[in-house]
Amino acid sequence: MDKIRVAIQGTKASFHEEAAFKYFGEDIETIECDSFKATCDALKQKKADYVVMAIENSIAGSLLPNYNLLQEYRFPIIGEVYLGIQLHLMALPGITLEQIKFVESHPIALRQCADFFEEHPDIKVSEGMDTAACAKKISENKLTDTAAVANALAAKIYGLEILDRRIETNKKNYTRFLILAAKPGENPNANKASISFQTDNSIGSLAKVLNYFAEHQINMSKIQSMPVLGKRNEYIFHVDFEWKKLSDYEAAIRKTLKHTVNFNILGEYQKNEKV
C-alpha cells in the first residue's frame, strides 16, 4: 500500500513535518516544499495527498499570507493539529557553547528566543529559511562555529547535539496547523468549522452575523479580517466556530447565508485539543 503523501513547507524534521507526524503518524511520505504556495501547488498537481499548513502561532499571531492561500486555492480544511513549539540550541557533536560564534534559524524562531540571545550578546544571529534547513546546513558543511535553533527531531535526523534545551522565552508556545485536502471528507465527528464571508458596510452588520451563532450557542474561537485585494474598505472575515449540536450550527449557517456575500465553508472537521 502506498504511503500517504503530505506536502510541508520546509525541510524534513521541520515543525511542519513534526505536525504531519502528529496528525497522520510517522508512516507517511513528506513532500518538502520551498514555500506555502508550493505546498498548495503540489496538492493541486496531485503530487501530494494532503497539505499541512501553519495558520497561527500563540506568540507570533496569524500567518496572514496563508489566509490568502486558503482563498486562492479553496482546498477544504479536513483537520487541525496543535504543536507545542520547543526550541533547542544544537551544534555538531563535541562542540561547546563557548565555541559558537553564529546562530542560524527561521526569523520567527529567533524572535521567540530573544531572552536567550540577550544573555549571549557575543553570538551573531542570522536568519534562515527554515529551522530544520539550518540544522541540515550545519551537519552537511561541518560548521564548527555555528549552531541552529530547531526542534529535537532536527537534532536526531541531522546528527547534532543539543547544547541548551528549551531556549524559547515563552514556554507556552504552540502553533496551530491546518490539514488541507483536494476534496472534502465526511467526518461524522465534526464539531468545528472554518468559514469566510463578507458583509456590507452598514452599522452592526458583522455583529448581526456573529449574533446568529451566539443565539444558537455556537462558540466563536477565532476571527481574522483580511482586506479584499484591490477593493478599498472591503474585508473578508475568516471565522472558526465550535458546536456541541450539529443542528444548532446548521441553523446559524442558514441565517448567516441570508446576510452575507461570498460565503464559503472552508472546512468542517473535528476540533483538536491544544497542547
Side-chain angles (χ1 to χ4, degrees):
M1 184 176 174
D2 292 337
K3 289 185 177 182
I4 291 172
R5 301 167 302 165
V6 182
I8 61 168
Q9 185 272 327
T11 310
K12 287 186 183 298
S14 65
F15 285 108
H16 274 83
E17 185 174 62
E18 193 175 346
F21 287 162
K22 186 172 182 182
Y23 189 86
F24 293 103
E26 295 192 15
D27 191 26
I28 60 173
E29 179 186 352
T30 47
I31 311 297
E32 298 171 284
C33 300
D34 291 337
S35 65
F36 287 112
K37 182 173 175 59
T39 65
C40 293
D41 287 334
L43 183 56
K44 184 178 181 180
Q45 296 162 11
K46 299 182 178 179
K47 294 176 181 177
D49 303 305
Y50 300 97
V51 167
V52 172
M53 177 184 285
I55 199 68
E56 63 179 305
N57 176 265
S58 58
I59 297 173
S62 296
L63 280 74
L64 298 182
N66 289 356
Y67 280 96
N68 286 327
L69 291 175
L70 293 178
Q71 287 295 321
E72 180 181 348
Y73 285 87
R74 297 294 171 88
F75 290 131
I77 301 166
I78 63 153
E80 66 177 0
V81 61
Y82 287 86
L83 189 67
I85 304 300
Q86 298 185 1
L87 297 167
H88 311 296
L89 187 74
M90 57 193 68
L92 290 172
I95 299 298
T96 64
L97 183 57
E98 289 70 31
Q99 293 172 268
I100 298 301
K101 297 178 182 176
F102 308 98
V103 170
E104 292 187 16
S105 193
H106 188 278
I108 292 178
L110 293 171
R111 285 205 301 273
Q112 291 170 354
C113 301
D115 286 1
F116 175 85
F117 292 115
E118 281 185 18
E119 294 169 7
H120 298 84
D122 294 336
I123 295 177
K124 185 178 180 182
V125 176
S126 59
E127 298 180 354
M129 288 296 292
D130 177 61
T131 54
C134 293
K136 184 179 181 181
K137 175 183 173 183
I138 290 168
S139 178
E140 289 182 344
N141 296 308
K142 304 295 185 222
L143 302 177
T144 57
D145 60 354
T146 306
V149 174
N151 59 9
L153 183 61
K156 179 182 176 183
I157 295 294
Y158 299 116
L160 302 181
E161 281 185 359
I162 294 177
L163 300 177
D164 204 341
R165 293 182 178 274
R166 303 298 306 272
I167 66 169
E168 71 275 10
T169 301
N170 189 322
K171 306 305 179 189
K172 294 181 179 179
N173 181 7
Y174 66 84
T175 296
R176 176 183 175 221
F177 298 82
L178 299 178
I179 313 299
L180 310 181
K183 297 178 180 178
E186 291 294 322
N187 189 342
N189 298 315
N191 57 1
K192 186 172 183 177
S194 296
I195 69 173
S196 66
F197 58 84
Q198 290 175 254
T199 63
D200 59 39
N201 281 326
S202 61
I203 294 172
S205 58
L206 176 61
K208 187 185 297 181
V209 170
L210 296 180
N211 202 42
Y212 295 142
F213 290 91
E215 289 170 357
H216 289 279
Q217 305 300 307
I218 307 297
N219 180 46
M220 182 183 72
S221 58
K222 165 90 183 194
I223 183 168
Q224 181 69 55
S225 64
M226 294 289 294
V228 177
L229 295 177
K231 301 287 183 71
R232 186 184 174 194
N233 294 332
E234 288 191 29
Y235 295 87
I236 189 159
F237 298 99
H238 287 258
V239 189
D240 293 339
F241 291 109
E242 301 169 5
W243 64 86
K244 292 182 178 177
K245 288 176 61 179
L246 180 61
S247 58
D248 289 339
Y249 162 72
E250 291 174 337
I253 289 292
R254 284 194 294 274
K255 289 183 181 178
T256 302
L257 281 167
K258 297 175 184 177
H259 296 89
T260 58
V261 294
N262 293 332
F263 179 93
N264 283 291
I265 296 176
L266 302 173
E268 296 171 344
Y269 48 95
Q270 190 168 359
K271 175 185 174 183
N272 185 268
E273 295 302 320
K274 294 180 182 178
V275 176

